[in-house]
Amino acid sequence: MMSLPQRHCWILQGDFDWLNKQAQIFYQSVPPSTCFWLTDNTVSDEAVSVKKAHQHLGQECELLIFQVTAQFDADAFGALIGCVKAGGTVLVLLNTALKPTRWLTRFLAIASTFPAIQCFTQQQRLPDLIPLEAANPPSPIIPTPTEEQGLAIAAVTKVVNGHRRRPLVLTADRGRGKTALLGMAAAELLKSGKQHILVTAPSPASIQTLLLHAHQQLAESKLGKTSVRWHDAIIEFMAPDAILQSQPATDLLIIDEAAAIPASMLEQYLINYSRLVFSSTIHGYEGTGRGFVMRFYKTLDRLAPGWRAYVLEKPVRWAENDVVEQFSFAALLLDAEPVDGQAISAAEQNQLIFETLQQQQLLNDERLLRQVFGLMALAHYRTRPADVQMLLDHPDMQVSVLRYKGNVVATLWTIAEPELDRELAQQVYDGTRRLKGHLLPQSLLVHAGIEDAGQYHYQRISRIAVHPDCQQRGWGQLLLQHYLASLNGVDTVGVSFALSVELLRFWSKAGFKIVRIGQHRDEVSGSLSVMMLKAINADGEKLVKRAHQTLAQQWTFLLERQWQELDAEAVMQISQSFDDETLMLDYQQQVYSFAFKQRPYESSEWALWQWLGDQLSQPCFKQLQLKQQHLLIMLILQGRSFDAVAEQLKLTGRKHIVTELREAVKQILSAKAD
């Protein structure tokens, strides 16, 4: 294989008009099909919003224009920089009117350490763009796998033709041709007589490269949006949850970008299927695969001890030691690692130092920043480049650590959620306003129905991590104790996480009380979310007690209506956390806000159920149309599904049902008021 040319990166700083002019010049200098132009401002018909960056995933370009006029989107930049082929150019346009954030300061400082990353200001003359056609010859119509890809393809086919229950885990950084080789391997299996290859991933867009490469290897095959058909055989995509629901038979199940699929689903795949290939990106814009690897390997050891791993090292989309890749890793902390275990192996608990870090301190100490972020990335495998921005620039962010001889062994990230304006809080309660952030008070207002929840000062724990070599030693609890003791002017501390028995035990041991269970499963873990609170002062104690007892009062009702699939062990643990003291809840305000405002149905279901029982014998209920009476009884009292109610009452669906329901409740309340 011929050596590939280096990619290039230019960073231009100037005013809005000058940058826009440069973008137009560069865009017009190349064929439009070879250029992606992304912007956070509507500047041109050719430019695409950074919010739509995902549309380009799985595609390649020669020139990436990344225009920043207001705020740098680190996630979009991390996603798109991997689309630029060997010999291509990354052009970053930074408006000089941008707020000089710590993140941007660090980004430019990192760029200055790479001589090949060229920075220009408006006052400087720009060199000509390198001719892209000469830099990067056209790809062959039918790609030939590299030697490393060929070995990986052989490993994939062995999963199907070898012993059962010996899954393969394929890992690589971006640009190594991982998804492409999976398509080639699937094609080889069809040529050998296999009939059905099933592929799943976080979205169909993730596997377009796989399908294209399979199609190129299979003469006369038909390429669709989610499949490749070849004679009587097929390679097809199916959503992760759909596979578990229908459990179709297949010769091979391929799970691409497995780190982005709930761990509980991956475990079910291992149980249900005997021939599987898991693939994952290690240092990716969408989250780190290292945390996934650490946890999932333990699951594989337990369920499929004959599993094998294959790591792709050499890039195929760009040159080895590519400067742009090195720069993106450094600037976005994609390769940040916690301190080596050897350096902390002798640590004892009484030698640990608790410290609250300042954001400027993190900016000034790259080693400290990489240890803090690397540890969190290892523990939470959906940690993204945007989290670096949050760590350095979020005004309400606080980072606490335990250190041993200067090295970080545990870290805690928290976000302040201060008191809300009363009118704003009422709008949140009524369902007419949604806030960005303020997770704790918003959840208590909307879901728990606590009207004054906005009048408290909260600290929300967003993440906590202990070095993997130091776990099961009580250091997480120790970090929490130090942190809680350091707080001033705070009423309560809260945390929200994907429900598991282990985490319930951890937070309960620290004195946190459960106050809410989510209605929808988390996209990463596949579990329901849980919110727990711990009081810091007397005001917080009253709030936590009220929120905890509110859940206790509604527990058995909602357990049947909304949480039927909750794990039995979790049900026992939550049930046993409630004391015998009961709280008489006022549900009238929730019913009113549901009828006359926009309070969600699920958040009002218990209140409506309590209220409706008293209305059935009242004249105002009998005055309703027969269809309205049936709707109230079937949905609220009998708990029938939306689909069943829609079919029987000839309503078009959920939205129509809720509209009719609000109107019926409104009529009863209005009649009683008269």
Side-chain angles (χ1 to χ4, degrees):
M1 179 180 175
M2 63 177 289
S3 60
L4 296 170
Q6 280 281 345
R7 296 186 295 172
H8 312 277
C9 180
W10 295 357
I11 300 175
L12 276 56
Q13 292 180 275
D15 63 38
F16 179 87
D17 291 337
W18 181 77
L19 290 176
N20 201 40
K21 180 181 178 182
Q22 302 313 310
Q24 291 283 359
I25 291 171
F26 280 104
Y27 184 81
Q28 292 167 10
S29 70
V30 299
S33 61
T34 67
C35 177
F36 297 163
W37 180 0
L38 277 291
T39 178
D40 62 349
N41 190 299
T42 307
V43 294
S44 168
D45 292 339
E46 294 91 352
V48 175
S49 168
V50 290
K51 294 179 181 178
K52 298 179 179 178
H54 63 277
Q55 294 179 356
H56 290 305
L57 295 180
Q59 302 175 41
E60 294 182 339
C61 67
E62 306 280 8
L63 173 63
L64 168 64
I65 302 173
F66 195 82
Q67 187 170 2
V68 185
T69 63
Q71 185 173 0
F72 201 114
D73 188 324
D75 286 347
F77 182 70
L80 293 170
I81 204 167
C83 297
V84 182
K85 297 166 62 176
T89 300
V90 178
L91 190 65
V92 182
L93 309 180
L94 299 177
N95 191 344
T96 46
L98 283 170
K99 181 182 177 182
T101 63
R102 278 179 284 267
W103 191 89
L104 193 58
T105 298
R106 180 181 172 276
F107 180 83
L108 292 171
I110 294 292
S112 69
T113 65
F114 288 86
I117 307 298
Q118 299 183 63
C119 299
F120 302 95
T121 63
Q122 189 166 339
Q123 290 71 37
Q124 294 173 284
R125 183 179 181 278
L126 301 181
D128 294 330
L129 187 68
I130 297 167
L132 296 173
E133 301 84 63
N136 201 359
S139 302
I141 296 174
I142 302 178
T144 303
T146 64
E147 181 181 354
E148 192 177 43
Q149 284 180 313
L151 293 171
I153 290 170
V156 172
T157 57
K158 188 175 180 181
V159 170
V160 179
N161 300 320
H163 293 288
R164 297 172 74 254
R165 299 222 163 270
R166 296 202 176 166
L168 174 69
V169 179
L170 189 64
T171 55
D173 285 329
R174 291 184 78 195
R176 269 64 183 171
K178 172 174 51 64
T179 305
L181 79 85
L182 288 172
M184 297 180 198
E188 286 298 314
L189 287 167
L190 263 56
K191 288 177 183 177
S192 70
K194 302 303 177 186
Q195 292 292 297
H196 188 262
I197 307 295
L198 191 57
V199 184
T200 194
S203 71
S206 304
I207 58 115
Q208 294 308 303
T209 299
L210 184 154
L211 296 177
L212 177 61
H213 279 77
H215 169 62
Q216 290 172 335
Q217 302 289 325
L218 296 167
E220 299 178 2
S221 62
K222 294 181 180 179
L223 175 63
K225 288 186 177 180
T226 59
S227 66
V228 173
R229 293 183 179 274
W230 188 64
H231 304 311
D232 295 329
I234 187 171
I235 302 165
E236 66 173 328
F237 170 85
M238 187 177 285
D241 56 343
I243 291 176
L244 293 180
Q245 289 168 9
S246 59
Q247 295 186 30
T250 187
D251 294 306
L252 175 67
L253 172 59
I254 297 173
I255 303 98
D256 198 17
E257 294 305 343
I261 293 176
S264 58
M265 287 189 178
L266 299 181
E267 187 164 330
Q268 282 301 310
Y269 297 151
L270 278 168
I271 293 169
N272 297 344
Y273 291 92
S274 59
R275 302 190 187 275
L276 308 99
V277 172
F278 300 90
S279 81
S280 181
T281 304
I282 296 299
H283 303 111
Y285 64 92
E286 71 285 271
T288 175
R290 290 165 298 149
F292 155 77
V293 163
M294 285 189 63
R295 278 184 288 277
F296 190 53
Y297 282 10
K298 294 176 183 177
T299 303
L300 285 163
D301 288 339
R302 175 166 51 88
L303 296 176
W307 70 277
R308 291 171 298 134
Y310 192 92
V311 181
L312 289 163
E313 301 283 358
K314 294 183 179 180
V316 297
R317 197 179 297 166
W318 47 75
E320 288 193 68
N321 301 314
D322 178 75
V323 173
V324 173
E325 180 180 63
Q326 294 172 21
F327 167 61
S328 67
F329 275 29
L332 305 179
L333 287 180
L334 295 178
D335 59 349
E337 300 278 358
V339 64
D340 187 89
Q342 292 270 332
I344 56 175
S345 59
E348 297 293 338
Q349 184 164 305
N350 60 4
Q351 298 173 298
L352 304 181
I353 305 297
F354 172 79
E355 187 178 353
T356 298
L357 303 178
Q358 302 301 315
Q359 288 171 312
Q360 190 64 36
Q361 186 179 355
L362 289 167
L363 177 63
N364 295 341
D365 190 338
E366 183 71 11
R367 176 176 172 272
L368 177 62
L369 175 64
R370 293 181 72 85
Q371 283 192 11
V372 168
F373 192 78
L375 180 53
M376 200 60 78
L378 198 62
H380 298 266
Y381 57 78
R382 288 301 293 273
T383 304
R384 303 172 303 163
D387 294 317
V388 186
Q389 288 180 292
M390 182 177 72
L391 189 62
L392 291 173
D393 290 330
H394 195 300
D396 296 318
M397 186 86 186
Q398 182 177 307
V399 178
S400 302
V401 294
L402 288 178
R403 297 172 84 175
Y404 169 72
K405 293 185 176 180
N407 294 307
V408 177
V409 299
T411 184
L412 179 75
W413 297 6
T414 60
I415 297 174
E417 296 185 343
E419 183 178 358
L420 296 175
D421 173 79
R422 289 180 184 273
E423 183 178 347
L424 179 61
Q426 185 63 50
Q427 292 171 347
V428 172
Y429 179 92
D430 290 337
T432 59
R433 185 81 178 267
R434 293 287 290 173
L435 305 179
K436 186 176 181 180
H438 286 85
L439 173 68
L440 300 178
Q442 193 160 207
S443 186
L444 293 175
L445 286 163
V446 174
H447 303 292
I450 298 177
E451 290 182 77
D452 66 346
Q455 309 311 309
Y456 296 84
H457 292 269
Y458 303 83
Q459 282 282 344
R460 176 167 59 87
I461 297 172
S462 66
R463 299 182 187 186
I464 185 171
V466 177
H467 196 288
D469 292 348
C470 305
Q471 292 174 0
Q472 307 301 319
R473 298 173 69 175
W475 292 5
Q477 292 287 340
L478 178 68
L479 176 57
L480 271 175
Q481 290 168 18
H482 280 297
Y483 165 72
L484 294 169
S486 72
L487 292 175
N488 286 305
V490 175
D491 298 311
T492 185
V493 174
V495 63
S496 179
F497 56 90
L499 174 59
S500 75
V501 172
E502 294 77 15
L503 287 175
L504 276 175
R505 290 196 185 109
F506 174 84
W507 292 104
S508 296
K509 185 178 179 180
F512 286 69
K513 297 283 189 182
I514 187 166
V515 297
R516 182 180 177 245
I517 300 172
Q519 295 152 354
H520 306 289
R521 294 193 175 274
D522 178 77
E523 63 174 11
V524 178
S525 66
S527 302
L528 295 171
S529 63
V530 171
M531 196 171 98
M532 299 182 76
L533 298 178
K534 180 178 174 64
I536 301 301
N537 59 23
D539 287 341
E541 189 69 48
K542 293 175 186 175
L543 173 67
V544 174
K545 185 174 183 179
R546 191 158 29 128
H548 185 58
Q549 289 186 348
T550 296
L551 180 61
Q553 184 87 355
Q554 302 175 359
W555 174 237
T556 52
F557 171 81
L558 293 178
L559 190 60
E560 178 187 356
R561 291 293 183 94
Q562 298 181 11
W563 304 320
Q564 301 99 323
E565 297 179 11
L566 209 56
D567 178 74
E569 191 173 349
V571 170
M572 286 193 300
Q573 192 167 335
I574 294 168
S575 300
Q576 291 164 8
S577 75
F578 301 130
D579 52 37
D580 295 332
E581 187 177 351
T582 56
L583 180 70
M584 294 304 295
L585 297 177
D586 180 11
Y587 48 78
Q588 299 291 343
Q589 184 58 43
Q590 293 187 46
V591 174
Y592 178 87
S593 289
F594 172 79
F596 292 96
K597 305 293 183 179
Q598 291 296 315
R599 188 169 179 79
Y601 173 72
E602 280 78 10
S603 301
S604 313
E605 189 175 8
W606 176 84
L608 289 166
W609 177 75
Q610 288 276 9
W611 168 81
L612 185 58
D614 297 330
Q615 311 305 317
L616 293 178
S617 60
Q618 300 295 317
C620 51
F621 181 83
K622 298 174 184 176
Q623 291 169 8
L624 294 175
Q625 296 176 12
L626 191 62
K627 187 175 182 179
Q628 290 177 309
Q629 294 176 0
H630 288 181
L631 172 61
L632 289 165
I633 291 170
M634 292 167 62
L635 190 68
I636 297 174
L637 294 185
Q638 295 181 319
R640 297 196 197 183
S641 70
F642 278 93
D643 289 344
V645 172
E647 183 178 356
Q648 187 155 341
L649 297 183
K650 302 295 184 285
L651 298 170
T652 57
R654 178 193 168 86
K655 188 175 181 180
H656 191 188
I657 290 172
V658 172
T659 299
E660 293 293 323
L661 192 65
R662 287 192 203 279
E663 183 58 34
V665 175
K666 189 185 298 183
Q667 286 185 33
I668 294 176
L669 291 174
S670 298
K672 290 176 75 81
D674 294 341

